[in-house]
Structure formats: structure tokens, C-alpha cells
Amino acid sequence: MKILVVGSGGREHALVWKIAQSPKVDKIYCAPGNAGTAQLAENVSIKSDDIQSLLKFAREKKIDLTVVGPEAPLVAGIVNLFEKEGLRVFGPRQEGAQIEGSKVFAKQIMTKYNIPTAQSGIFTRPKEAIDYINEMGAPIVVKADGLAAGKGVIVAKTKQEAIDAVKLIMEKMEFGSAGEKVVIEERLVGEEASIIAFTDGKSIVPLASSQDHKRVFDNDEGPNTGGMGAYSPAPVVTDRLMEQIDVEVLRPFVAGLRQEGIEYKGVLYAGIMVTKQGPKVLEFNARFGDPETQPILMRMKSDIVPIFEAVIDGKLDDREIEWDERAAVCVVLTAGGYPGKYEKGVPIRGIEKIDQLDGVVVFHAGTGCVSSACNAGPDIVTAGGRVLGVTALGDSIKFAIDKAYRAVDLIHFQGMHYRKDIGKKALKYER
Ligand code: AMP
Ligand code: GLY
């Protein structure tokens, strides 16, 4: 098979890495890819949201299966476009991708089908949003409706902070049309977990649980990022809780979408807050999580390609996925200044030293090559905010953490930043 992976982050490198292990696969392309995917796939310089050029490429190369990483092409309708041309593609159609493309839409479905989530109001006028904030008081959470590159959610400690957020989103239009509507909701308290599942619109097969680290600094301080690290499994998600999430969240959500006339196929990602009252949904995404995918796929023993095909063909049924019993931890190395302004083109040293370490993989995110040869050693430079995801397997979370950080110590680039406490929340369950 010839497979095209769309995207250029750590998630896509992990997908390419996993797909490359499938005996069904002869050739992988990645658009646009990074310096990591270049070593396993042929990078194609088409941006991931240029869906017309992707279609043209897939037709020309007779791609057998396209796997879409990021949300933007899904929301833009890449799946509808490819399907119309008879091309096989993994991901939800545009109608389904709204669960991520519109927080208002996701909230309306959750409310209609009684899926546990924060109490909220939906507003199209700033005045009404501000009145609601004044009525509800703080802390309170303000969310821009549309895609805002992870920056459209403000967890406000004071009423003033929330009102400022409404003005930024709805009046200054900081996120463009993504801010025409807002969701304002109660702040939930608890531990977060990422629940990611395959679904063919009928059956649901959850992947191993995981936990992300959204804030840029240790102890969950500083602004939100795309994710500074992740581990799997997340011990906060006990078997009982997983069952509860399956029954109360995943199943009614997919069934609800079906009732609305939407056959949702692909990956369903539920961001969950485990509160004292039980699990509640923070958000739904229409794709694999990044960086959660890196530790999850390190642990997946089953071939992923037949799963993609089963989802597309509506034959997922009760397919079992085999998991490595070990834990995996991914530490993200970022450019200095991220999630704010940062430099690009900084040489990265030491990645090749990781090859000697057993059970460690460095997934590239924002990396590029200075020459077309793209030699793993001297040629690699930074090209984004999140640069690398150093991912290690260990017999326990603690061993995986230690191994990941030992590997991190071998890598260096100017301005490199990372959290020193990835996985720490899991340790209280291991003691
Ligand atoms: P979202 O993109 O909706 O997942 O929001 C990004 C992050 O903001 C989440 O991972 C949480 O850390 C935080 N967040 C979102 N909604 C809430 C909420 N209702 N209560 C507390 N924190 C929240
Ligand atoms: N790591 C969070 C996300 O992928 O949305």
C-alpha cells in the first residue's frame, strides 16, 4: 500500500513511525512532514490545509490510504473531497469535524444527549456574554467558538479577566471569525485525562488512556500550550472510570451524532476532567492528540493500518487492540519563548545519540533540514515552537520518566525549554 500522512507535527511523526512498521505498507508520503518523517517517508511540500493540492497529489500517486493528522483539513472538508473522488481517507467528514471546529456545536450536542460537561451559556453578543459573567461570577471559563490554535480558551480567575477575554474574542476579533460566538462555562476542578478512541460511527474502540500537560511551566503554571508532554496509561483513569466514560460519554456522543444525521468515523478525542461528581467533558477533538499520540503509539502492539481500514469500511466491530504493558512518557522540548514568539533555524545537537538507547524514540515536531540530504545528525534545525518529543518506555511510569529525562539530557539546542515534571501526577498512584 501507498499511504499519505497529512501534517507536520510530533503526532504525524509518530503516525508515520507506526505505519512504517506495518507489513501492508510499501511507501509512505508525508505532507508537509518534518525532519523526522523525512527518515521514514518521502516528504511532500504541500501544506496540510491545502486540500485541493493534497487531492491532486493523492490522485497522481494513486495513494491507497490517506491519514489526516491535524484538525484544519478535517474542518475544511478534506474527507468529503477525497471520498467524492473515490479515495480512501481516515478521518471524520466536515459535518463530524464540527465537534472540534465549533465549541458551540459540540456543546449543543452534549446538552441534547445528556453528556456530562460543564454548565454553560452560548452567546453571539458581547453584552449578553458579559451580563452572564456578572451573574455567574468567577472563576469562569471563556471559549471562542472556532479553531484558535489552542489559544481560544481562557480560564479566568476574576470577572474582569473573563470580561476582558470576551472583549478580546468578540470585539477585537483576536481569533477572527472563530470569535463570532463564545461558550462561557463553569470552571471544573479535578485531574484531566485524554480519552482517544477509534470509531466507525457505530462501534467504539478506545485506545490506551493518557494525560497531557497543557501549561508551559512546571506545576501547571504559565500559559496554555499545544501540550508539553504526555504519558500513557493515565492511572487516574481506572478500568471502572474508563467504562463510565465509554457508557456516559463516547457511546451517547457518537449515537447522538448519528441521530443528527452525522456518521462520525475516525478518531474521537474526549478531553475529560475527572471531578468529584465524575467525569465531565472539557472538549471534543476530531483527531489524535498531540503529544498524547506519541506515548500511546509507542505502546500499541497491533498493526494500525488494518484498524484505519476497518474504520473506513465500517467494520471496526469489537476489534481488540494489543498494548505493551509498559508505560510510556513523552517530554516535549520547545523553542525558547514558546508559546509566545520564538526563533527558528537553530541547530539541534545530540539526536543521533538516542539511537543507542533501547526503548526511546525521539519524535520530531517543529524540525527542518538545512540540506536536501537531511542527514540525521548535523543537518537538523528547529522549525517550530514544539521541536521534539522524547518518548521512552519503562516498566513503570517512574522508570519511563527517568529514561525519558536521561535521553533529554543528551539533546541540546539554544533556548531549549522543557518541563521537568512530566508524569509526576501519575506517581502518587504508583506509590
Ligand atoms: P479546551 O481546548 O476546551 O480543552 O481547553 C483547553 C484547556 O483549558 C483544558 O485542557 C483545560 O485545562 C482548560 N479548561 C477548559 N475548560 C475548562 C473548564 N470548564 N474548567 C476548567 N478548565 C478548563
Ligand atoms: N494535546 C491536546 C490536543 O491534542 O488537543
Side-chain angles (χ1 to χ4, degrees), residues 11 71 100 194 196 212-214 225-230 269 283 285 287-292 386:
R11 166 184 55 211
E71 60 279 13
E100 176 163 7
S194 304
I196 302 175
D212 188 12
H213 298 65
K214 288 231 162 71
T225 69
M228 295 296 294
Y269 169 131
E283 63 165 342
N285 293 324
R287 49 165 178 86
F288 287 104
D290 187 347
E292 292 94 322
R386 291 193 287 174

Side-chain angles (χ1 to χ4, degrees), residues 14-25:
L15 285 166
V16 166
W17 174 85
K18 184 66 189 162
I19 290 167
Q21 292 165 29
S22 171
K24 302 188 76 161
V25 174

Side-chain angles (χ1 to χ4, degrees), residues 77-328:
I78 189 172
V79 173
N80 311 53
L81 189 67
F82 274 49
E83 279 182 352
K84 215 166 65 194
E85 299 286 328
L87 288 165
R88 283 163 75 72
V89 53
F90 176 83
R93 296 187 192 124
Q94 189 167 39
E95 307 82 86
Q98 285 182 86
I99 64 161
E100 176 163 7
S102 169
K103 290 190 190 292
V104 167
F105 175 79
K107 208 73 191 185
Q108 284 167 339
I109 299 285
M110 283 190 264
T111 308
K112 184 162 175 188
Y113 295 96
N114 281 318
I115 290 158
T117 184
Q119 258 195 31
S120 65
I122 293 169
F123 303 94
T124 49
R125 293 203 190 90
K127 182 179 177 306
E128 285 157 17
I130 291 167
D131 287 347
Y132 184 76
I133 291 166
N134 280 322
E135 184 193 332
M136 302 305 282
I140 194 158
V141 183
V142 180
K143 300 184 173 184
D145 176 43
L147 295 182
K151 291 181 188 152
V153 174
I154 292 103
V155 182
K157 291 200 188 78
T158 63
K159 281 203 269 190
Q160 194 53 50
E161 219 182 304
I163 291 166
D164 290 344
V166 167
K167 288 181 176 161
L168 190 77
I169 294 169
M170 303 189 90
E171 286 173 357
K172 299 204 183 97
M173 302 300 280
E174 176 79 8
F175 309 112
S177 59
E180 281 167 8
K181 297 178 201 164
V182 292
V183 174
I184 300 185
E185 64 182 31
E186 98 190 90
R187 189 191 63 169
L188 300 174
V189 179
E191 197 173 329
E192 282 183 50
S194 304
I195 302 299
I196 302 175
F198 287 113
T199 175
D200 61 2
K202 308 180 293 269
S203 303
I204 295 167
V205 176
L207 284 81
S209 63
S210 60
Q211 188 177 68
D212 188 12
H213 298 65
K214 288 231 162 71
R215 306 297 195 98
V216 71
F217 299 125
D218 287 8
N219 301 314
D220 296 331
E221 284 178 30
N224 265 337
T225 69
M228 295 296 294
Y231 61 87
S232 171
V236 64
V237 185
T238 57
D239 289 350
R240 211 181 130 255
L241 184 65
M242 188 64 225
E243 175 68 25
Q244 193 182 354
I245 292 168
D246 194 36
V247 171
E248 292 180 9
V249 176
L250 302 178
R251 280 172 202 284
F253 192 64
V254 171
L257 287 171
R258 198 167 56 232
Q259 212 145 328
E260 301 294 316
I262 298 173
E263 184 192 44
Y264 188 95
K265 284 182 176 184
V267 165
L268 176 63
Y269 169 131
I272 298 282
M273 185 73 90
V274 184
T275 72
K276 285 203 181 102
Q277 297 86 42
K280 294 192 182 182
V281 176
L282 293 168
E283 63 165 342
F284 280 112
N285 293 324
R287 49 165 178 86
F288 287 104
D290 187 347
E292 292 94 322
T293 302
Q294 289 84 310
I296 289 174
L297 294 189
M298 282 278 279
R299 297 186 57 225
M300 189 193 275
K301 284 165 107 179
S302 311
D303 187 345
I304 199 167
V305 174
I307 304 176
F308 290 145
E309 296 186 289
V311 166
I312 292 171
D313 295 331
K315 291 182 176 155
L316 191 59
D317 301 318
D318 296 324
R319 188 177 280 266
E320 293 274 327
I321 301 178
E322 221 190 313
W323 297 101
D324 193 320
E325 287 296 315
R326 289 175 294 175

